[in-house]
Amino acid sequence: MAKVQDEAGHGLYLYCAAETLGITRDEMIEQLHAEKMKYSSIFNYPTLNWADMGAVGWLVDGAAIMNQVQLQRTSYGPYSRAMIRICKEESFHQRQGYDIMMKMAFGTPEQKQMAQDALNRLWYPSLMMFGPSDKDSVHSAQSMAWKIKTMTNDDGRQRFVDQTVPQAEYLGLTIPDENLKWNEERGHYDYTDPDWSEFFAVINGDGPCNKDRLDARRKAWDDGAWVRDGLMEHARKKAARQQAAE
């Protein structure tokens, strides 16, 4: 529950930053529900058991931090300040996730197998979080030129692989990539790229859980209408009382 609240807070930081550009929160939510707004591809993959909670914290939040640390130095102040707060909190999520994976990997054989299964399913979706290959990315060069970010998609992905492989080795888990090996000449790991056809299918609405996740989001919005209406009416009456008192 604490992590869910934390992630909801991250969303609020970013909504506030976006509002400084002249769009309202309601407009952004409307665009999300109408499938006109993009969001992270990772949210369209299922989580099947407790081991997934550890893998998500370790891999997904780890990839998010790798992306977001550079955004602390982005040229747009409201976004940069939001990212400073988010990164501090995401670092806790990543450590918590790795701790869960450690307990699973060093536990019973069944628990270790659950951890390995979660790693197998979430490894490539985590690599996709850095965005498409630089040669296929339509925004990476512009984002670098405008100093929105300081590292290309492929550079971020390489850094993530280089840092994560030794962590997996410590856990006694196997990265699901038969081509993964240390390249002495490059000073980096060689690895297999994600299936980019899958990535583009997911971000275009045809992923494993796209429909379910958006349907749940729309339902939550509709079911919560009475709460929003009540709060707005309370604010209206409070303002009217204050005006009458003046």
Side-chain angles (χ1 to χ4, degrees):
M1 180 61 73
K3 183 173 180 181
V4 170
Q5 291 175 325
D6 217 22
E7 297 290 6
H10 297 174
L12 293 177
Y13 297 155
L14 297 175
Y15 273 130
C16 290
E19 285 174 325
T20 66
L21 297 172
I23 187 171
T24 69
R25 196 168 307 186
D26 283 351
E27 287 174 317
M28 286 184 276
I29 292 173
E30 192 175 298
Q31 289 180 9
L32 174 65
H33 292 172
E35 302 183 38
K36 294 180 179 178
M37 179 181 289
K38 300 295 185 187
Y39 55 92
S40 179
S41 58
I42 195 66
F43 295 130
N44 295 302
Y45 287 88
T47 49
L48 306 181
N49 54 50
W50 174 245
D52 287 21
M53 295 301 296
V56 166
W58 172 37
L59 299 174
V60 173
D61 289 329
I65 292 168
M66 197 78 70
N67 267 324
Q68 292 166 349
V69 162
Q70 60 179 323
L71 298 174
Q72 294 178 110
R73 298 184 295 276
T74 189
S75 58
Y76 189 58
Y79 193 30
S80 172
R81 290 189 288 273
M83 281 300 167
I84 290 171
R85 300 185 68 175
I86 288 172
C87 285
K88 289 178 180 178
E89 295 163 4
E90 288 288 358
S91 65
F92 172 78
H93 299 170
Q94 196 271 345
R95 289 195 296 272
Q96 179 197 38
Y98 193 69
D99 183 69
I100 292 171
M101 293 296 280
M102 190 181 301
K103 286 180 170 60
M104 300 288 288
F106 295 160
T108 66
E110 292 79 12
Q111 289 172 327
K112 183 172 183 179
Q113 182 53 47
M114 285 177 65
Q116 182 65 60
D117 177 62
L119 171 57
N120 291 347
R121 286 183 287 103
L122 289 166
W123 173 250
Y124 283 106
S126 298
L127 293 187
M128 293 178 191
M129 289 180 63
F130 292 89
S133 165
D134 291 338
K135 62 183 176 59
D136 297 322
S137 175
V138 297
H139 300 297
S140 190
Q142 178 175 287
S143 295
M144 294 286 289
W146 289 0
K147 300 189 186 302
I148 296 173
K149 63 180 187 177
T150 58
M151 184 170 53
T152 71
N153 297 350
D154 288 337
D155 286 346
R157 196 168 8 257
Q158 181 70 69
R159 186 178 296 185
F160 175 75
V161 171
D162 290 347
Q163 291 190 14
T164 306
V165 171
Q167 296 170 357
E169 290 175 346
Y170 176 77
L171 296 176
L173 300 178
T174 303
I175 300 292
D177 181 356
E178 61 183 15
N179 297 317
L180 182 71
K181 65 178 185 298
W182 178 254
N183 186 318
E184 194 67 42
E185 184 177 342
R186 293 198 312 118
H188 297 288
Y189 283 94
D190 293 335
Y191 64 94
T192 303
D193 270 344
D195 180 352
W196 292 120
S197 63
E198 176 183 322
F199 171 79
F200 286 109
V202 170
I203 65 171
N204 286 316
D206 192 23
C209 296
N210 287 65
K211 184 178 185 304
D212 291 344
R213 298 285 158 82
L214 273 175
D215 284 349
R217 189 67 188 81
R218 295 185 190 102
K219 184 178 185 300
W221 178 257
D222 292 340
D223 290 350
W226 68 275
V227 178
R228 297 191 302 276
D229 292 344
L231 290 172
M232 294 300 293
E233 180 63 16
H234 172 72
R236 187 191 67 77
K237 289 181 177 179
K238 182 178 179 180
R241 286 196 299 271
Q242 289 176 338
Q243 188 174 11
E246 294 172 357

